[in-house]
Amino acid sequence: MKFAICNEIFKGWKLDDTLPYARRLGYSAVEIAPFTLADSVTDISAPERQKIRDSAAQIGIEIAGIHWVLVKPEGLHINHTDAAIRGRTSDYFRELVDFCADIGGKVIVVGSPKQRNIMPGVSPEQGWDWAAATFRQAIARAEKRQVTVCFEPLGPTETNFINTAADAPPVCATIQLAELQNHSRRQSDVLGIQTDPANHR
């Protein structure tokens, strides 16, 4: 069995220091929270992305993927009542897919509880429909780039949208694409890697 650890645990560390340290600890992979590198993945250049990929390869550790993907930039929300906000979020998810693939990642874990809460007056069904529409183009790109998007169920104290694995099928069915999966199936199926449960969002 292989294990991965999330890089934001190493608060204040440079990724160049985190990767070799995680390898020395015995981890097989690191999962990267984009906000620890930049406010937006669009600010991370192609050479910088290649450096991350090359550094991991030289160290002998995998980039499992990315998580905590909507912390920054501010103002994103997958099922907001404002269509413009949903549109910006959809656009950013496509950027996240490219970033993940560019650094050698295979999995995007969507936690981000505050950026997915169903707002007052919105029905669960409407929330599902809006979320599905937000994801649809990103999932199509993810299929092309061989990235799996995983939706992470979170408890009701954190969010009111998708609290258990059983809650996710309506969204998956609405999108009707294979590359959106429950987080409970994520790395164990896709990479054979179990992620350290600490600080996962």
Side-chain angles (χ1 to χ4, degrees), residues 23 42-43 70 85 88 90 121 126:
R23 185 71 183 94
T42 60
D43 296 331
L70 297 183
I85 292 175
R88 288 197 298 272
S90 177
Q126 182 64 78

Side-chain angles (χ1 to χ4, degrees), residues 47-69:
E48 290 175 305
R49 297 178 187 202
Q50 189 62 49
K51 181 183 176 183
I52 293 171
R53 188 173 190 143
D54 292 344
S55 295
Q58 291 170 6
I59 292 163
I61 194 165
E62 296 176 51
I63 302 297
I66 62 176
H67 69 288
W68 244 9
V69 293

Side-chain angles (χ1 to χ4, degrees), residues 69-70 78-79 86 89-91 93-94 96-97 108-111 115-116 127-142 149-152 161-162 171-172 175 177 180:
V69 293
L70 297 183
I78 68 170
N79 48 21
R86 298 197 306 274
T89 306
S90 177
D91 291 343
F93 265 118
R94 295 198 297 276
L96 287 167
V97 169
I108 297 175
V109 178
V110 182
Q115 291 80 20
R116 74 196 223 196
W128 291 334
D129 287 345
W130 280 340
T134 297
F135 279 113
R136 188 168 284 111
Q137 291 184 358
I139 299 302
R141 180 170 294 183
V149 180
C150 301
F151 211 103
E152 180 180 24
F161 186 65
I162 302 188
V171 177
C172 299
I175 297 175
L177 288 170
L180 180 66

Side-chain angles (χ1 to χ4, degrees), residues 11-12 23 32 54-55 60 64 70 81 93 104 114 119-120 124 128 145 148 150 155 159 162 171-172 181 187 196 200:
K11 186 176 181 180
R23 185 71 183 94
I32 293 176
D54 292 344
S55 295
L70 297 183
T81 54
F93 265 118
K114 293 181 181 179
M119 303 180 76
W128 291 334
R145 301 221 56 185
T148 300
C150 301
T159 183
I162 302 188
V171 177
C172 299
Q181 298 184 10
Q187 282 91 336
D196 192 309
H200 223 290

Side-chain angles (χ1 to χ4, degrees), residues 14-86:
K14 295 181 179 179
L15 195 59
D16 286 343
D17 298 322
T18 300
L19 294 178
Y21 185 72
R23 185 71 183 94
R24 289 197 298 273
L25 290 177
Y27 288 97
S28 299
V30 170
E31 206 172 66
I32 293 176
F35 75 89
T36 63
L37 305 181
D39 286 348
S40 171
V41 294
T42 60
D43 296 331
I44 304 173
S45 67
E48 290 175 305
R49 297 178 187 202
Q50 189 62 49
K51 181 183 176 183
I52 293 171
R53 188 173 190 143
D54 292 344
S55 295
Q58 291 170 6
I59 292 163
I61 194 165
E62 296 176 51
I63 302 297
I66 62 176
H67 69 288
W68 244 9
V69 293
L70 297 183
V71 174
K72 294 181 180 180
E74 295 183 3
L76 301 177
H77 201 290
I78 68 170
N79 48 21
H80 200 279
T81 54
D82 187 332
I85 292 175
R86 298 197 306 274

